[in-house]
Amino acid sequence: MARPGWRSELSRLVLSGRQQGYRLLACGLRRSYGDSGLNPREGLIDMTGLDRMITLDPATRRIRVEAGASFDAILQVIVRQGLFLPVTPGTRFVTVGGAIANDVHGKNHHRHGTIGRWVRRLGLLRSDGVELDLAPDDPSGLFQATIGGLGLTGVITWAEIELMPIASAMMDVENIPFGKLDEFFTLAADSEDAFDYTVSWIDCLSGGERLGRGIFTRGNHAGTGSILPDRGNTLLTMPVNLPGLAMNRYSISAFNALYVWNGRRKSGTARTGLHPFFYPLDSIGRWNRMYGRNGMYQYQSVVPAAVQKEATHDMLKAISASGQGSFLAVLKTFGDVASPGLLSFPAAGTTLALDFPNRGDVTLKLMGRLDAIVREAGGRLYPAKDGRMSAAMFQAGYPAWQEFAKYVDAGFSSHFWKRVSQI
């Protein structure tokens, strides 16, 4: 693994890898759940040393940063300037390059779409050592291939992103308990016009009349309040892996019941800081250790709006019947804001994100059943959170994959791409 400290080193590293016969892949803070960031028996370039901010213009709301800069570091600078990232995922510990390569989305997809819509320029280093300056109007199509391109078109070296204005570092938030899946869809539809951010947690183990019960959260940036960013919300760190049996049906069921009870207790409106609202999982460092040495699978799908109610119902019913409830289950609707990348994940409809403790074949069989529901509905899975979907599943969900393949740099690869690009 190479760890450059200056952008001027990158061209030499890429050419050296090419001469030695290695296919390369850039990596950042390694928050992808699957193998899109892995490149076994080839070469990795750790970009976290290239984390400098190049320019910030509050008047035009443009920031230019090196690809290894984290969202966490950017927020510490821009929030006090009355600016915020237009799109952010559920953790602030991601790099700019990784966010663009996965075309990440957030709680405001129905308003702002993916991060790729806000990238105004980027630098892309190809395996021939030539660095390109690309913009959305790039006639070659390489910009669109790089947004959501999983690092396969080359090394993103820097990016210029348009930021959004905010009046406060606080959020006005409302939590609403709901008793079943139909209520979620009603809340989602009623919230899109008035709220910038919407998301819900659901209880995957509940069945029958309570299938899909949960807590719906919606919010907006506060119009008044301190503009100073809060100090972060990492309260504790998991020191060791928990025993594998800790995450079982009974413990997850107890957690879900407690979460529902607490959600009802705290229902209503409140004002909170940015970090607790956008990054609740960041409050526990190395939270993945809760799943023990066998780890976990994350499974995130999107199904089209026309069949979202039926498909989501069938998925939750299959999960409930299996007894393999997810400790963290997030349900959200995507808007019809088109994503710019050829392999961008979001599409108008409903996305369900789940964490399953790894119990071997029984867990794989459950995800296979979910695959069938998603594919029948015309949906797809999120490459950033996948480590096991078949080539057929990928190719069915991403009909532009062969067009994208034309832009893949022969000097770059990943375990994910080798797995899903098979014909």
Side-chain angles (χ1 to χ4, degrees), residues 111-397:
R111 291 285 181 87
H112 281 183
T114 63
I115 192 66
R117 296 186 66 249
W118 301 88
V119 177
R120 299 298 171 245
R121 302 196 79 86
L122 61 82
L124 183 71
L125 180 64
R126 302 281 276 178
S127 64
D128 59 5
V130 175
E131 184 174 3
L132 305 174
D133 184 333
L134 301 176
D137 59 358
D138 162 48
S140 73
L142 195 53
F143 180 90
Q144 286 73 24
T146 299
I147 302 297
L150 305 172
L152 297 168
T153 62
V155 179
I156 299 172
T157 57
W158 57 268
E160 182 175 290
I161 299 172
E162 182 178 342
L163 305 172
M164 59 178 284
I166 55 173
S168 166
M170 304 299 291
M171 299 294 298
D172 287 330
V173 181
E174 183 177 10
N175 292 310
I176 307 172
F178 57 92
K180 56 185 178 179
L181 189 59
D182 284 347
E183 294 177 24
F184 160 79
F185 284 109
T186 300
L187 283 167
D190 291 345
S191 301
E192 287 189 353
D193 289 340
F195 293 89
D196 287 338
Y197 302 95
T198 64
V199 71
S200 68
W201 169 90
I202 55 169
D203 177 4
C204 282
L205 282 177
S206 291
E209 289 296 316
R210 297 189 301 174
L211 183 74
R213 70 171 180 170
I215 309 296
F216 191 93
T217 300
R218 57 192 187 185
N220 291 315
H221 291 277
T224 60
S226 172
I227 200 64
L228 296 177
D230 47 44
R231 299 178 61 185
N233 59 329
T234 303
L235 304 178
L236 57 92
T237 297
M238 290 295 296
V240 296
N241 292 317
L242 291 183
L245 293 176
M247 284 291 177
N248 56 57
R249 179 187 181 104
Y250 304 104
S251 63
I252 294 174
S253 179
F255 170 84
N256 288 358
L258 179 63
Y259 199 99
V260 169
W261 172 83
N262 193 52
R264 289 172 177 165
R265 184 176 66 88
K266 293 185 175 181
S267 63
T269 59
R271 180 163 285 194
T272 186
L274 294 171
H275 288 91
F277 179 76
F278 287 101
Y279 313 114
L281 262 186
D282 287 347
S283 63
I284 305 175
R286 297 183 178 180
W287 58 267
N288 55 294
R289 287 183 168 180
M290 292 188 292
Y291 291 93
R293 293 181 62 86
N294 289 335
M296 44 77 77
Y297 287 98
Q298 176 140 136
Y299 187 96
Q300 183 165 3
S301 62
V302 60
V303 292
V307 293
Q308 60 188 3
K309 293 183 179 180
E310 297 83 357
T312 304
H313 175 275
D314 290 347
M315 293 175 73
L316 293 178
K317 187 175 180 180
I319 295 166
S320 176
S322 75
Q324 297 186 74
S326 173
F327 175 61
L328 296 167
V330 176
L331 188 64
K332 176 181 166 43
T333 52
F334 283 148
D336 58 2
V337 184
S339 300
L342 293 176
L343 293 188
S344 293
F345 164 69
T350 295
T351 180
L352 177 62
L354 307 152
D355 289 351
F356 291 118
N358 178 16
R359 299 195 177 100
D361 287 345
V362 66
T363 305
L364 293 172
K365 288 179 181 178
L366 170 60
M367 290 189 289
R369 290 197 291 275
L370 299 181
D371 284 353
I373 296 169
V374 173
R375 185 168 180 177
E376 176 68 21
R380 59 189 177 219
L381 305 185
Y382 193 12
K385 298 183 178 181
D386 172 72
R388 37 69 59 191
M389 82 165 109
S390 67
M393 183 75 181
F394 170 77
Q395 293 168 21

